[in-house]
């Protein structure tokens, strides 16, 4: 398994090209099931998870290939309606094919995703909504089997705000008979990107980005023609953390600051300086970060996907930071590894108390999930000495060429392939 070797202590300077958003690309790729014909999507990032979604679509009978910056998906010949366990277990977002399959073909057999490192991650709300729209749902040997002649519009209230739950049911509703209302819907920019793409396919959607989304079903949709995925706000946030912790000076190209208001405000409070320039968003790290508290909540609050990277910054900030994780029940897997590097962190339930230390020390550490691995990279870039990060396939799931991008801005980093 590949590992990264990082020698910390350098102030990173230069330009970083932010890639397309993984969490927008995955639902948009799944949405191609909703319409026959050849779909053309631009700026899809080259990531493990994207390749897994491509494999899943190919397994259904779709054609999938990437040509330069275009991802071409052809859903004319879908003849299989099953998302098998061996694919779904590697990527929970596979559940996003469930509703498009039922919406267009009236049937689907999708493996239950099972839990992951950060939590149980049930899909009960996805199934609740689908049932309300008239689907017959059975659970059998770890699979969801869903059937419907034609889905019908319904009013659906999410007890918990769910990003892929909102996306899945939006895709169920676009071909349903009648109107669907999604209440307490997720407001993430990736939900809006999916809605904008569906509207270009002919869907009738109002309110995406707010907590009430109204979808009026249509009889059919046309293929995606040249839709460009939004930039990845979490990759942008991760490089902001890199600038902050190394006292660096980076220009993030292809970043949408409005998607990161909560993160930018928090980092400004911690001493990071932001300047909008013609080339992109300039991010300048201070000599010493100031400890600040953070609490993760659904968008537009501070994102759970930035909690681990922010914690890495706080391990060397001046003062004590209280970080509350409210979205997932077990998203502190990075803490034990950061402590191996000399961080002073105590956990009580969903709250971590981080006392800033003078400097971290390089050590062999292990990635456990996508954002935990990003947190270890951020920490290693400022640690004294050498850090070896094992199991970086977790990082490759969500960051395109991370080691190359870091090397280009001056990091002493090497990927060892075994
Ligand atoms: C999406 O996951 C993202 N993944 C996650 O990003 C992100 O961390 C998460 O949203 C929260 O922002 C993709 O978009 C592919 P949820 P998702 O449904 O949709 C509970 C990354 O790092 N819940 O919004 O799976 C759930 O247990 C990944 O890129 C139910 O109880 O997350 C959690 O506590 C990690 N029942 C909360 O809701 C359900 O049916 C939020 O989960 C669904 C969710």
């Amino acid at each position: 398994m590949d590992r990264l070797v990082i020698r910390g202590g350098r102030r990173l300077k230069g330009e970083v090209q932010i890639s397309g958003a993984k969490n927008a690309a995955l639902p948009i790729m799944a949405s191609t099931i909703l319409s026959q014909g050849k779909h053309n999507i631009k700026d899809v990032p080259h990531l493990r998870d994207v390749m897994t979604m491509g494999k899943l679509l190919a397994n259904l009978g779709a054609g999938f290939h990437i040509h330069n910056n275009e991802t071409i998906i052809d859903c004319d010949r879908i003849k299989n309606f099953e998302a098998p366990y061996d694919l779904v277990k590697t990527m929970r977002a596979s559940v996003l094919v469930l509703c498009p399959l039922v919406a267009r073909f009236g049937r689907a057999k999708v493996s239950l995703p099972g839990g992951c490192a950060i939590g149980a991650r049930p899909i009960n709300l996805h199934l609740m909504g689908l049932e309300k729209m008239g689907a017959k749902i059975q659970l059998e040997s770890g699979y969801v089997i869903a059937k419907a002649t034609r889905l019908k519009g319904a009013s659906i209230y999410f007890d918990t705000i769910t990003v892929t739950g909102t996306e899945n049911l939006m895709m169920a509703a676009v071909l349903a008979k009648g109107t669907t209302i999604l209440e307490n819907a997720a407001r993430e920019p990736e939900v809006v990107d999916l809605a904008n793409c569906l509207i270009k396919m002919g869907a009738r959607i109002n309110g995406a980005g707010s907590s009430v989304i109204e979808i009026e079903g249509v009889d059919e949709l046309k293929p995606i023609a040249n839709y460009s995925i939004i930039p990845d706000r979490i990759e942008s946030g991760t490089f902001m953390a890199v600038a902050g912790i190394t006292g660096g000076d980076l220009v993030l190209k292809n970043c949408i600051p409005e998607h990161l208001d909560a993160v930018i405000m928090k980092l400004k409070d911690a001493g990071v300086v932001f300047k909008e320039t013609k080339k992109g968003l300039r991010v300048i790290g201070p000599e010493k970060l100031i400890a600040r508290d953070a609490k993760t909540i659904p968008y537009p609050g501070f994102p759970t996907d930035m909690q681990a990277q922010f914690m890495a910054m706080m391990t060397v900030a001046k003062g004590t930071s209280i970080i509350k994780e409210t979205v997932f029940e077990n998203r502190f897997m990075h803490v034990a590894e950061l402590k191996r590097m000399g961080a002073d962190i105590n956990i009580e339930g969903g709250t971590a108390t981080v006392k800033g230390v003078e400097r971290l020390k390089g050590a062999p550490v292990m990635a456990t999930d996508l954002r935990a691995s990003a947190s270890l990279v951020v920490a290693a870039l400022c640690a004294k000495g050498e850090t070896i990060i094992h199991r970086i396939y977790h990082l490759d799931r969500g960051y395109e060429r991370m080691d190359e991008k870091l090397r280009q801005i001056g990091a002493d980093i090497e990927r060892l392939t075994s």
Side-chain angles (χ1 to χ4, degrees):
M1 282 186 235
D2 288 11
R3 53 200 186 284
L4 283 181
V5 181
I6 297 174
R7 293 169 199 87
R10 297 184 177 179
R11 290 169 180 267
L12 303 189
K13 294 186 187 329
E15 296 179 357
V16 181
Q17 180 69 28
I18 299 299
S19 302
K22 165 179 85 82
N23 290 350
L26 296 175
I28 287 174
M29 287 173 73
S31 77
T32 60
I33 293 169
L34 290 163
S35 136
Q36 60 188 14
K38 200 171 268 193
H39 304 258
N40 183 321
I41 312 167
K42 291 191 182 325
D43 301 327
V44 172
H46 294 184
L47 302 171
R48 276 174 79 99
D49 276 7
V50 164
M51 298 319 285
T52 303
M53 182 60 83
K55 238 186 266 171
L56 181 56
L57 291 169
N59 191 54
L60 299 175
F64 165 75
H65 73 276
I66 295 177
H67 178 68
N68 296 334
N69 185 30
E70 295 186 344
T71 298
I72 317 288
I73 299 173
D74 178 341
C75 290
D76 268 341
R77 281 178 295 286
I78 287 185
K79 54 192 182 309
N80 171 25
F81 310 102
E82 180 173 339
Y85 176 66
D86 64 338
L87 274 177
V88 176
K89 75 177 188 304
T90 62
M91 185 186 67
R92 317 176 28 70
S94 308
V95 73
L96 285 165
V97 303
L98 172 66
C99 288
L101 283 171
V102 180
R104 179 158 167 227
F105 300 102
R107 54 192 287 211
K109 181 179 178 185
V110 174
S111 166
L112 280 166
C116 74
I118 64 177
R121 315 236 2 226
I123 60 165
N124 59 309
L125 298 174
H126 301 232
L127 303 181
M128 171 277 291
L130 207 44
E131 231 165 10
K132 272 185 173 264
M133 296 178 75
K136 291 275 167 290
I137 307 276
Q138 272 174 294
L139 298 183
E140 208 176 282
S141 333
Y143 279 79
V144 173
I145 298 167
K147 288 199 177 76
T149 40
R150 182 174 183 189
L151 293 171
K152 56 186 191 319
S155 279
I156 296 163
Y157 179 83
F158 293 106
D159 295 335
T160 308
I161 293 175
T162 162
V163 173
T164 49
T166 301
E167 292 165 345
N168 228 341
L169 290 161
M170 192 195 293
M171 291 191 280
V174 291
L175 289 177
K177 186 166 174 41
T179 300
T180 298
I181 308 281
L182 302 180
E183 290 195 69
N184 201 24
R187 299 171 52 191
E188 274 69 0
E190 294 77 25
V191 173
V192 177
D193 209 27
L194 171 64
N196 290 338
C197 182
L198 289 168
I199 290 166
K200 281 193 84 170
M201 293 166 76
R204 294 197 192 125
I205 302 172
N206 283 304
S210 77
S211 51
V212 182
I213 304 177
E214 183 176 324
I215 304 114
E216 193 191 325
V218 294
D219 291 335
E220 68 174 336
L221 296 171
K222 47 188 193 293
I224 303 169
N226 293 333
Y227 188 81
S228 285
I229 303 283
I230 55 170
D232 194 315
R233 63 192 167 97
I234 304 301
E235 184 187 20
S236 293
T238 304
F239 276 99
M240 289 175 188
V242 167
I245 205 168
T246 64
D249 185 343
L250 301 178
V251 174
L252 307 186
K253 298 164 75 177
N254 191 38
C255 162
I256 302 178
E258 299 73 50
H259 287 171
L260 285 147
D261 284 343
V263 173
I264 290 172
M265 282 199 305
K266 185 63 66 184
L267 297 191
K268 275 182 181 169
D269 281 355
V272 180
V273 172
F274 293 85
K275 289 189 178 117
E276 302 226 14
T277 75
K278 281 198 287 301
K279 281 190 175 174
L281 181 65
R282 189 175 171 200
V283 189
I284 304 161
E287 280 305 313
K288 187 78 177 163
L289 288 162
I290 304 154
R292 293 298 183 199
D293 297 346
K295 178 178 172 185
T296 68
I297 53 174
Y299 194 87
F302 191 90
T304 174
D305 291 351
M306 274 300 299
Q307 178 257 108
Q309 301 91 308
F310 180 71
M311 188 184 291
M313 295 172 77
M314 292 297 103
T315 62
V316 290
K318 187 171 178 338
T320 298
S321 161
I322 307 288
I323 298 175
K324 286 189 170 56
E325 171 58 59
T326 74
V327 176
F328 292 110
E329 64 269 29
N330 184 34
R331 202 167 198 176
F332 285 146
M333 302 289 281
H334 42 287
V335 170
E337 301 306 303
L338 291 171
K339 290 173 81 164
R340 289 175 52 71
M341 298 174 73
D344 179 350
I345 308 171
N346 276 302
I347 297 177
E348 268 193 50
T351 300
T353 302
V354 186
K355 287 198 180 80
V357 298
E358 189 49 40
R359 191 156 186 211
L360 296 177
K361 293 183 190 60
V365 291
M366 189 167 76
T368 50
D369 59 86
L370 170 54
R371 305 305 173 184
S373 47
S375 156
L376 297 176
V377 171
V378 170
L381 288 167
C382 84
K384 185 173 172 14
E386 181 176 277
T387 299
I388 303 179
I389 305 176
H390 296 264
R391 298 193 180 178
I392 55 156
Y393 60 86
H394 289 290
L395 192 74
D396 295 336
R397 291 191 51 181
Y399 290 94
E400 189 178 30
R401 298 180 295 106
M402 178 79 142
D403 45 329
E404 275 173 50
K405 293 184 180 182
L406 287 168
R407 201 172 302 116
Q408 279 161 13
I409 52 178
D412 180 348
I413 182 170
E414 206 184 339
R415 175 185 284 256
L416 299 182
T417 306
S418 54

